Amino acid sequence: MQPVQKALWYIESHFAEAISLDEIASVAGVSRFHMSRAFGEATGRSISAYVRGRRLSESARLLCAGASDILTVALAAGYGSHEAFTRAFREQFGVTPEQARAQGSPDKLGLVEPIRMNAADSD
């Protein structure tokens, strides 16, 4: 398994937890610098943007499925306040969490889906 594949596996297995670039690079067996560069080249986005997008996308799914307490969803996604979560959510999707919940479907939000790579695609 190549470093970017390892990084994606680790991120997808742990994105609900607090994870760092150091942890991801360590799992992939490369330096922080190499991990950042290789991930960006392979996926077209930074590691932090991917992790943030995945967390917010899972939050959007919960909200669209009817989660009533936005603060609980925000805290589960790693945000310390409703305000910080709303700001990040709006930047990611162009709507507030309340608007997404009212839509009832995440189809038009442009969710960040898990990246799947085969051996030929990576580093």
Side-chain angles (χ1 to χ4, degrees):
M1 192 183 295
Q2 297 296 319
V4 174
Q5 289 174 303
K6 289 177 184 177
L8 286 167
W9 170 82
Y10 187 78
I11 291 166
E12 290 302 323
S13 300
H14 298 88
F15 74 84
E17 305 164 16
I19 55 176
S20 68
L21 177 57
D22 286 331
E23 289 174 75
I24 295 167
S26 177
V27 166
V30 296
S31 70
R32 291 169 42 105
F33 173 78
H34 181 77
M35 185 78 268
S36 294
R37 183 191 56 75
F39 193 91
E41 286 178 5
T43 67
R45 61 180 68 171
S46 70
I47 291 173
S48 62
Y50 180 72
V51 171
R52 183 176 48 253
R54 290 290 297 126
R55 287 178 176 158
L56 289 168
S57 293
E58 292 306 311
S59 297
R61 283 189 176 91
L62 291 172
L63 292 167
C64 290
S68 61
D69 187 11
I70 293 173
L71 181 57
T72 301
V73 173
L75 294 172
Y79 291 87
S81 70
H82 186 293
E83 294 78 14
F85 177 69
T86 297
R87 187 172 36 257
F89 196 94
R90 187 182 306 119
E91 287 174 11
Q92 183 77 35
F93 302 118
V95 297
T96 66
E98 292 85 357
Q99 291 168 324
R101 184 175 53 197
Q103 287 177 3
S105 172
D107 293 344
K108 296 181 181 178
L109 293 179
L111 300 180
V112 176
E113 299 295 347
I115 295 173
R116 307 275 187 234
M117 298 184 78
N118 62 40
D121 291 339
S122 64
D123 219 18

